[in-house]
């Protein structure tokens, strides 16, 4: 899975929070049969942040978690 594929997949798990203008990634809404793919996508994205290839803020914007 590429970084772009990981971001695209994770966008499906972004949900509104009970707090105003707060979104989060919610893996509980994902079917159990594909949850491992979402977990792998999370690891790929976090690895990109850890390596300094993308900032945490930029990743959040790409995922739709931050404006």
């Amino acid at each position: 899975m590429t970084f772009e594929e990981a971001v695209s997949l994770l966008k499906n798990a972004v949900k509104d929070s009970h707090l105003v203008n707060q979104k989060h990634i919610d893996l509980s809404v994902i079917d159990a049969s594909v949850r491992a793919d979402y977990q792998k996508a999370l690891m790929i994205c976090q690895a990109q942040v850890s390596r300094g290839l993308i900032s945490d803020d930029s990743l959040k914007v790409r995922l739709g978690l931050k404006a």
Side-chain angles (χ1 to χ4, degrees):
M1 178 182 310
T2 67
F3 174 70
E4 295 300 326
E5 291 170 333
V7 169
S8 180
L9 185 65
L10 288 174
K11 284 182 179 181
N12 297 322
V14 173
K15 301 297 173 197
D16 287 318
S17 175
H18 67 281
L19 302 172
V20 177
N21 296 324
Q22 296 263 343
K23 293 185 178 188
H24 64 284
I25 294 174
D26 186 356
L27 296 183
S28 69
V29 299
I30 303 303
D31 189 71
S33 64
V34 293
R35 191 166 297 146
D37 293 334
Y38 283 81
Q39 291 169 331
K40 181 178 178 180
L42 279 170
M43 289 188 293
I44 289 169
C45 289
Q46 284 303 312
Q48 294 289 315
V49 172
S50 295
R51 292 183 189 134
L53 300 174
I54 188 170
S55 71
D56 191 53
D57 283 341
S58 294
L59 177 60
K60 287 178 181 177
V61 169
R62 293 199 52 190
L63 290 172
L65 297 172
K66 186 175 181 180

